[in-house]
Amino acid sequence: MSDADLEERKSRAAAWFRQLRDAIADGFNTIEREAGALYADREPGVVEITPWSRGEDGEDAGGGEMGVLKGRVFEKAAVHISTVYGEFSPEFAKQIPGADQDPRFWAAGISLIAHPRNPHTPSAHMNTRMIATTKTWFGGGGDLNPMMDRYRTDGHEDTLAFHAPYKAACDTADPAFYPKFKAWADEYFYNHHRGEARGVGGIFYDRHSTGDWEADFAFTQNVGRAFWKAYEPVVRRRMETPWTDADREEQLIRRGRYAEYNLLYDRGTQFGLKTGGNVEAILSSLPPEAKWP
């Protein structure tokens, strides 16, 4: 592949992540505006976009845009995009395919987290990305994180509704993808120190390169589109359910478990911190309030 072809692919991928960010941010804003009587005492929030740059002393190392919402339905939500480039540290380069030969890298992606105010409404996560070293690949996925035990089962209607669009996105590319990437999500989104899943799963894939870049890019686009199809109906089903102080207490304790996972195991957090990403954007995945019993 020529350098020109690679640059064209990078440009297309970065543009897609921005397009997806805009669509999802609009979805968040719409739910905030349309919230019912349960939220009448609060003003609707909007996703606020803040650009940031990576690098020091005029160095061109890319950057991104933070998109943060602090609203009435979503106590905190974030949808970020970034396009960064430079060189991995020698230690980190050993962990990345192709970087052991050449430490230079380019990475672009979208990262999202939603922490609703209502304990009955699950939190959710999604990201997709393209990374290029001497090799090029995609990664990403999404998962649902109910904050109350009554919703944390494989057969619950919210779980089934969330998984269905991801299965459809996978099946369009290859029927073998969904069982493979679902199992990968179950393994990946797991708090090993507690011996429990973070939520009810979804899909996860990484270092995905079949040899057909166009097919891999199309698949990643479908995964990105699947998120809002998966999450919006669940939010709308639960957001008007009244809650109690006991419900809120359960939510805050479960949020603590969520924070533990992101700080201990999440690859995106580690990648961002080790490549000089925006710390505020990286750690915005943490819930706005949490408790430990």
Side-chain angles (χ1 to χ4, degrees):
M1 178 174 52
S2 69
D3 289 345
D5 288 340
L6 179 58
E7 291 304 313
E8 190 261 347
R9 290 177 177 182
K10 291 178 181 177
S11 178
R12 287 171 58 194
W16 158 249
F17 297 133
R18 178 180 294 277
Q19 179 183 340
L20 181 61
R21 188 279 309 273
D22 290 346
I24 293 176
D26 183 64
F28 280 136
N29 292 341
T30 298
I31 287 179
E32 283 287 316
R33 289 195 306 269
E34 295 178 354
L38 199 62
Y39 303 91
D41 62 332
R42 299 174 181 269
E43 292 296 318
V46 296
V47 176
E48 297 184 358
I49 305 298
T50 304
W52 60 273
S53 296
R54 178 174 172 272
E56 300 178 354
D57 300 325
E59 175 191 10
D60 180 13
E65 293 179 352
M66 292 179 57
V68 177
L69 166 65
K70 296 181 180 179
R72 52 184 184 173
V73 177
F74 297 100
E75 191 171 1
K76 180 183 181 183
V79 53
H80 308 312
I81 54 173
S82 62
T83 301
V84 298
Y85 34 86
E87 293 189 6
F88 291 126
S89 67
E91 179 182 357
F92 195 48
K94 297 175 184 178
Q95 305 173 36
I96 306 298
D100 55 341
Q101 305 169 40
D102 184 333
R104 290 176 296 176
F105 76 93
W106 177 96
I110 178 172
S111 179
L112 177 152
I113 182 65
H115 292 296
R117 186 177 307 278
N118 191 327
H120 296 277
T121 309
S123 294
H125 153 265
M126 182 275 290
N127 74 77
T128 58
R129 58 194 172 274
M130 174 183 164
I131 298 178
T133 59
T134 57
K135 300 180 179 179
T136 303
W137 69 92
F138 291 93
D143 68 307
L144 191 70
N145 297 271
M147 294 291 109
M148 301 177 69
D149 285 347
R150 72 188 73 172
Y151 300 113
R152 293 172 64 84
T153 62
D154 290 343
H156 193 276
E157 63 178 333
D158 292 352
T159 304
L160 298 175
F162 186 82
H163 276 258
Y166 279 112
K167 183 178 186 302
C170 289
D171 288 350
T172 298
D174 186 332
F177 281 179
Y178 177 70
K180 176 182 177 181
F181 296 153
K182 178 183 181 299
W184 199 344
D186 291 340
E187 177 184 356
Y188 178 64
F189 297 114
Y190 194 81
N191 263 331
H192 295 276
H193 63 292
R194 292 192 178 273
E196 65 181 19
R198 185 172 83 169
V200 293
I203 67 167
F204 178 79
Y205 64 103
D206 198 12
R207 301 177 181 179
H208 181 68
S209 177
T210 65
D212 184 339
W213 186 89
E214 293 292 347
D216 296 343
F217 183 38
F219 170 61
T220 293
Q221 289 176 289
N222 284 336
V223 168
R225 294 185 189 101
F227 172 77
W228 199 244
K229 296 177 185 177
Y231 189 49
E232 181 192 23
V234 176
V235 172
R236 291 189 178 275
R237 181 185 298 128
R238 302 296 168 197
M239 61 188 274
E240 302 293 345
T241 304
W243 68 85
T244 67
D245 290 344
D247 295 336
R248 176 68 171 177
E249 182 76 4
E250 184 177 356
Q251 177 196 44
L252 293 178
I253 292 172
R254 182 63 65 181
R255 281 182 174 180
R257 306 287 181 88
Y258 191 97
E260 290 173 13
Y261 175 87
N262 278 33
L263 293 173
L264 291 173
Y265 304 114
D266 186 75
R267 289 186 187 177
T269 300
Q270 295 173 19
F271 183 90
L273 294 175
K274 290 180 179 181
T275 55
N278 183 289
V279 173
E280 295 302 322
I282 295 164
L283 297 183
S284 68
S285 62
L286 298 176
E289 292 187 33
K291 272 189 177 182
W292 283 263

